[in-house]
Structure formats: C-alpha cells, structure tokens
Amino acid sequence: AQRVTQPEKLLSVFKGAPVELKCNYSYSGSPELFWYVQYSRQRLQLLLRHISRESIKGFTADLNKGETSFHLKKPFAQEEDSAMYYCALISGGYNKLIFGAGTRLAVHP
Amino acid sequence: DTGVSQDPRHKITKRGQNVTFRCDPISEHNRLYWYRQTLGQGPEFLTYFQNEAQLEKSRLLSDRFSAERPKGSFSTLEIQRTEQGDSAMYLCASRKEGETQYFGPGTRLLVL
C-alpha cells in the first residue's frame, strides 16, 4: 500500500538550531514527493518537490530511495519557520496526493 | 483571481441535516480535487474531476457524499444525513496539466 509516515507530531527547536523533519514512504515504482507547509491561519501551500532539487526558504530535501525517505532539512531554523509540515507523494494517473499526518515545527527564540 | 476559494469557511449543523460546500478553482485549472482532513491527520483524497467528469472516487466517499462539477468550473460537495464522524476540514485543490495542486482555505464542518 502507498503510505507516507511522519514519525514526529511535534519538533521543538531553538532559533538558529538545525532542523530535520522526517518523512518515510512506501511506494512501488518511482515516487514523486513533496513537502507542503501550512502557516498559522493560512492555506496549505507547496514548499518544495523532489524533482526540482531546489532550496526554498533555506529548506532542502533529498530523496533516498534506499531508505525510502525524503527528510526536510534546514541548517539554521528561524522563528518564522514555525508551521505544520506535511510530506506527500503523488499516486495514480490523476496525481492525487497521499499525505503524512504532519509534523508541527515550533521554533523558539 | 486570488486563488482557490471555498464557501462557506465554517459550517455547524445538526446530525441528520444535509450540507453543501462550494469550491471555485483558479480559472484556467481544469483539474479539481476534494480532500478531507480530520484532527491530527493529513488531508485524505476524496474525489477528482477533470473538467466536468468525475474520474476517481475514494472509498472514503460513502453513498451519503456526492460531488459535482457541472460546467467544469466550480464544484460542489454535498453530504446527506450528516453524522458526527463527518466533522472535518474539507479542502479543495485545483491544478492545470503539468503543474502542482493549489489548495483552497477549506471549509470546516462541525456536526453536533
């Protein structure tokens, strides 16, 4: 079955500390993976996708097919990074998204 | 056009009542998705439209749920005989071919 697992419900760090939000997936074939972010009182929005191999707001994520992981990393967390982060993969011919349960990142001053 | 819009943003209803939600996608987006998000979970896929055709429905979409997109533009999601378990955030997303999905703000439903 296709599944996305985010093992941490909450990740709490201090400003300037490194951040790693974990994401593991189960998928047969070549997955297309995403990180979405939801800031307080805002809608869900795309943060980055693995095929772009880009860095957005200092965040990067590398697809590791051997470990079936797509962890989100940032070397120095900022208070404005506090939000809910969802890992997701595309499933099926109609590109529906399968989401993990999400991790709340809290960055303290 | 400022993005995907949904109406209403909040709905409180009594068990057994019918409710209908509306989604207006970004104007040039011919693909539209409905998701449901319960507390502590990520969004779960409900159904997909390409233009006016409903091409995929999740097993989550029981007989009490029906979705339409009559002219290939806005879409409605109706829940008949609501149950407390239907309480959730209902999200709509749209996209055009080759692009990623853009999400609306959601409709939060509370069934008393």
Side-chain angles (χ1 to χ4, degrees), chain A residues 9 32 34 36 38 41-46 49 84 86 90-102, chain B residues 2-5 33 35 37 40-45 48 50 55-56 91 95 98-101 103-105:
Chain A
K9 284 206 172 295
E32 187 172 351
F34 303 81
Y36 279 81
Q38 188 166 27
R41 302 184 191 281
Q42 294 188 25
R43 65 187 65 193
L44 199 58
Q45 59 185 283
L46 178 67
R49 55 194 302 186
M84 279 295 297
Y86 295 95
I90 276 185
S91 175
Y94 301 131
N95 285 17
K96 66 177 179 283
L97 290 165
I98 296 176
F99 286 88
Chain B
T2 55
V4 179
S5 61
Y33 303 78
Y35 293 85
Q37 186 174 19
Q41 299 299 318
E44 295 173 287
F45 170 77
Y48 165 72
Q50 186 165 317
L55 298 183
E56 187 171 354
L91 295 168
R95 71 178 184 95
E99 293 196 355
T100 57
Q101 296 178 33
F103 282 83

Side-chain angles (χ1 to χ4, degrees), chain B residues 32-95:
Chain B
L32 186 146
Y33 303 78
W34 284 99
Y35 293 85
R36 181 174 71 183
Q37 186 174 19
T38 53
L39 203 60
Q41 299 299 318
E44 295 173 287
F45 170 77
L46 291 179
T47 191
Y48 165 72
F49 288 88
Q50 186 165 317
N51 301 310
E52 64 276 7
Q54 187 175 21
L55 298 183
E56 187 171 354
K57 293 195 292 187
S58 161
R59 289 175 298 171
L60 291 175
L61 217 63
S62 75
D63 291 344
R64 297 184 297 104
F65 287 70
S66 62
E68 294 182 341
R69 194 180 183 200
K71 297 181 180 178
S73 57
F74 72 92
S75 175
T76 58
L77 177 67
E78 180 182 16
I79 308 174
Q80 296 183 326
R81 305 181 303 281
T82 52
E83 301 173 357
Q84 288 185 325
D86 297 331
S87 296
M89 176 75 86
Y90 289 85
L91 295 168
C92 177
S94 72
R95 71 178 184 95

